[in-house]
Amino acid sequence: MRGGKQFLFIIIFALLPFGRLRAADVVWFDGQHPVTYQIVGRVDPVVKTALQMFCDDMRQVTGMKAVASRQATIRIIQGKGSDDGFKLSVNRKGQIVIEGHNGRGTAYGLLELSRQAGVSPWVWWGDVVPERKERLTVPSDFLMEHNPSVAYRGIFINDEDWSLRNWSWKNYEPSTQFGTIGSKTYKAIFQLLLRLRGNTIWPAMHPGTPGFFTIPGNKEMANSCGILIGTSHCEPLLRNNVAEWDTQKRGAYNYITNRKEVQQYWIERLQQVKGSEELFTLDMRGIHDGSMEGVTTPQEKLDGLQQVIDDQRELLRKYYQKEVEKVPQVFIPYKEVLEIFESGLKVPDDVTLMWCDDNYGYLTRLSDTEQQKRSGGGGVYYHLSYWGRPHDYLWLTTTQPGLVYHEMKAAYDHNCRRLWIVNVHDPKVAAYDLELFLDMAWDIDALQPSTINRHLERWLCTQFGEEAGKRLFPAMHEFYRLCGIRKPEFMGWTQVELDRKIYPRGRSQVIDTEFSQTEFGDELNSYLADYATICQAINETERLIRPELKDAYFAHIKYPVLAANAMAVKMLEAQKARSYYQGQSDRTMESREVNMQQA
């Protein structure tokens, strides 16, 4: 009997990985008692924000909110490092220890534990309700360490009047002031950024949206969530010119003729944010997105912009922080500013050079060999949505994941590792591509060309469960391929923002697409057939979705796929009808000509 036990032990030992027994798991939820935590020492407000989120997460997963305890299973420790990294481990007492390099890193570590419990980053924005758990464990040798690949990672809420603004001020936090996006909405955005390990935002700034800093509570909410505020290429020193520059009060936004007023305008914002962590754009263009006023010739443009940057640096030194070289700053050579930059503009070495894509996901320029040596490094401003010429895409987010990976990996390899900002008009619409972008910003090595598909599959499994996710992957992979051939917004082969005197509402008329019914095996009908196939798969997979995930499934999967299919069917079936009508008309004309000849 004793020898039999020894033999059984040997068999079990041999079957275990690495030929050793695995130590008992650490149980941090036993099904009966709430998850417990203990904060060790001082922590920043962002840690307390993340802790509130974590406690709510535990309520959804376990049925009980996490509670503080001296005999806690989770110890939370904030370090004094400069980056946003964190470490999760198990100590000798069997406690899970969260050690953040700084406040944000500690917050990320805490929310990583939520992920381990099955909470999706889209728990709120995407209605992804987590599955209830009876037990939560980690291996006794559990260890996870992360350091950010890109220092500043975030989003630009742009073209917000398409959806986010109306939802915010009319429904989510009703306001008497038109277009207000207030602290309640920004809190939800900031919390999403924390879950996605982002730390920076360029706030909404379209005409009709009041400036971020003018709305009570917005800046305080950003501080509580550890989010840095920056601004786009046409908003220097955290000023939203469209909403904040008052021409009647201050005169022309012209640095050549009205320098004193413009400087005072900038000084007011610097004094307002002094003492907080911000990201400053150096530059000057028109009030919104036009060329700088008061300069005409190339030399005037160069001299004028050089004076602006030199003066902005001095204002930062005087009114924000004396050691101006340590202040995060960015210069964005966009549109005509690129020509000025290349004509000899001197941008301080510690300022980040931020490059842009072509508005459609293809980078047009990256740092050359010398620019890669700059202490300020490089950055990228990338688009997942766009409003402008020759055509916008604000309905669905359909940029191919492989394109996002290829372009952002190229940027990283060219030492663009300081600042990554992605343009989204509504975070919910951009969900998967946005998470992919920020995952790469957080850990560039987490993805490889051979694992991009796995990333999408894992995302689908996280939102909708293993079985549904694996079934969805082929359909969603094909969806991105079909949208890569032609975005749904472009199916009319039209252009926008044209001469209104020639084109009604400035838009060209719908014309036949370039899909052929006679070439490439009838590519038009093949395209429609491919869409029909994935629509069928989407509808069939829906039966596997838990009832509480139906809203999430509709928003992230069913609506975009079926809507894109409907657009393709509408446009291509209309083209077929026109082709058929033209063929009938041609045959009728030929018949008439024959009859006339016979007569």
Side-chain angles (χ1 to χ4, degrees), residues 151-208:
Y152 302 108
R153 313 162 301 280
I155 63 175
F156 178 19
I157 299 293
N158 194 18
D159 311 318
E160 68 279 358
D161 36 330
W162 175 257
S163 63
L164 182 67
R165 185 173 75 188
N166 288 334
W167 168 77
S168 175
W169 82 277
K170 289 183 179 180
N171 300 297
Y172 189 56
E173 48 178 333
S175 173
T176 57
Q177 184 178 3
F178 175 87
T180 297
I181 301 179
S183 60
K184 185 179 178 183
T185 300
Y186 273 113
K187 179 181 181 180
I189 295 173
F190 297 155
Q191 289 183 340
L192 174 64
L193 284 175
L194 287 178
R195 291 188 185 277
L196 295 175
R197 295 169 294 227
N199 62 5
T200 306
I201 191 170
W202 292 357
M205 46 72 73
H206 254 230

Side-chain angles (χ1 to χ4, degrees), residues 10 33 38 47 50 72 78 87 134 158 194 307 358 386 416 436 475 491 531 550 565 597:
I10 292 171
H33 305 92
Q38 179 185 24
V47 179
Q78 176 181 324
K87 175 183 176 181
E134 296 299 324
N158 194 18
L194 287 178
Q307 188 64 59
D358 63 351
Y386 172 65
C416 291
L436 170 63
M491 284 300 297
Y531 256 120
K550 293 289 187 178
N565 170 69
Q597 291 174 359

Side-chain angles (χ1 to χ4, degrees), residues 230-245:
T231 45
S232 68
H233 57 277
C234 53
E235 303 173 276
L237 300 187
L238 297 180
R239 274 296 195 175
N240 179 337
N241 302 322
V242 174
E244 297 180 329
W245 180 264

